[in-house]
Amino acid sequence: MSRGKEFFQGMTKTQLKEMIQREIAEVDFGQEFESFIIADLIHQKHYHCAAQDLRPTRFRKLHRPRAVYDFQGYFPGHGWHGVSWTQCINPRDEMAWLDRALRDAAHPIVSRYRAAHLMCERCGEEPSTEVDHVSPEFNVMITQIIQALSASQVEEIFSRFDWLEKEPFSLPPGHSALQLLNDAHQAATLQAVCQPCHVRNGNERRRCAT
């Protein structure tokens, strides 16, 4: 065995990844196939399947625009469902997922603001196409919200997410994180801008920060 820490069934992460990639490469798109090692990996290492005792019985890869393929597993009683075997090897970063979910949840808030300000609020000459989080900046806002959540609130977000029913990961309806997001936008300074003015705002903030 090559150097490295054993991860699964006597293999390192690198060895396991290479073996699965070879196995998947041997099947045609749309062709159903069985793989005990992929099934065991998902059953034991996938963040949701391991917790819910879900083990897929067969697999298939489908064509997907701008991606290598869409990988799916067949779960008895639930049917076909997209499942990432790579996340079993390199587990999710919960904070990164939470960051993405908050950004997705902010889209309707931002869209409503832009719809109420059709012209660029900076130059007043061009239609607004974007919304700038002037203060605090969006990254800062998201970080502050995540830091305000307790460990139990974060756990609730992941425990209430129904992986078999929806994808991608999202915040559960009515969760306190959504209220924090709304409150943060109520207190924030937003500006509907055209794309060039958005760039100018960012450049000015960077100059002020140096």
Side-chain angles (χ1 to χ4, degrees):
M1 181 181 295
S2 62
R3 292 181 181 178
K5 184 178 180 181
E6 181 180 312
F7 172 71
F8 188 74
Q9 295 190 6
M11 289 178 283
T12 65
K13 288 186 176 183
T14 298
Q15 291 169 331
L16 179 62
K17 182 177 180 180
E18 291 174 348
M19 193 216 69
I20 292 176
Q21 287 174 331
R22 288 195 301 270
E23 188 170 353
I24 294 175
E26 292 175 354
V27 300
D28 295 327
F29 283 94
Q31 175 186 344
E32 296 183 17
F33 68 99
E34 294 182 354
S35 171
F36 289 110
I37 194 162
I38 301 178
D40 287 344
L41 177 68
I42 291 171
H43 184 220
Q44 296 177 37
K45 298 291 188 179
H46 188 273
Y47 76 96
H48 181 86
C49 296
Q52 301 299 321
D53 193 27
L54 295 172
R55 187 181 190 278
T57 55
R58 56 188 189 274
F59 304 96
R60 65 186 181 186
K61 63 178 181 179
L62 304 176
H63 286 287
R64 182 180 180 185
R66 297 182 297 277
V68 178
Y69 55 78
D70 182 19
F71 192 72
Q72 296 184 341
Y74 184 84
F75 294 84
H78 303 286
W80 290 100
H81 194 282
V83 60
S84 174
W85 61 267
T86 59
Q87 285 181 4
C88 301
I89 298 175
N90 298 303
R92 62 181 182 167
D93 180 342
E94 287 193 350
M95 291 303 103
W97 283 36
L98 188 51
D99 181 288
R100 181 72 265 166
L102 283 166
R103 291 175 184 276
D104 291 342
H107 286 166
I109 301 173
V110 172
S111 295
R112 286 194 299 269
Y113 185 88
R114 190 180 69 81
H117 302 81
L118 298 179
M119 297 301 293
C120 177
E121 293 184 278
R122 172 169 172 144
C123 69
E125 298 176 356
E126 299 292 334
S128 64
T129 57
E130 305 168 16
V131 174
D132 184 20
H133 288 70
V134 177
S135 179
E137 291 187 73
F138 198 36
N139 287 341
V140 174
M141 178 186 292
I142 296 299
T143 299
Q144 290 173 340
I145 292 172
I146 292 176
Q147 291 176 342
L149 295 171
S150 66
S152 61
Q153 288 173 317
V154 172
E155 176 60 30
E156 181 188 9
I157 290 173
F158 287 97
S159 64
R160 286 177 56 187
F161 176 65
D162 192 342
W163 180 80
L164 282 167
E165 290 298 323
K166 54 188 177 182
E167 199 71 32
F169 175 75
S170 59
L171 297 172
H175 193 274
S176 54
L178 293 173
Q179 186 59 53
L180 289 173
L181 187 67
N182 285 323
D183 292 345
H185 277 89
Q186 290 293 325
T189 300
L190 304 181
Q191 190 177 59
V193 289
C194 59
Q195 197 275 335
C197 283
H198 201 170
V199 172
R200 294 186 189 102
N201 280 357
N203 289 337
E204 289 176 0
R205 285 196 291 271
R206 281 190 288 273
R207 283 197 296 270
C208 291
T210 57

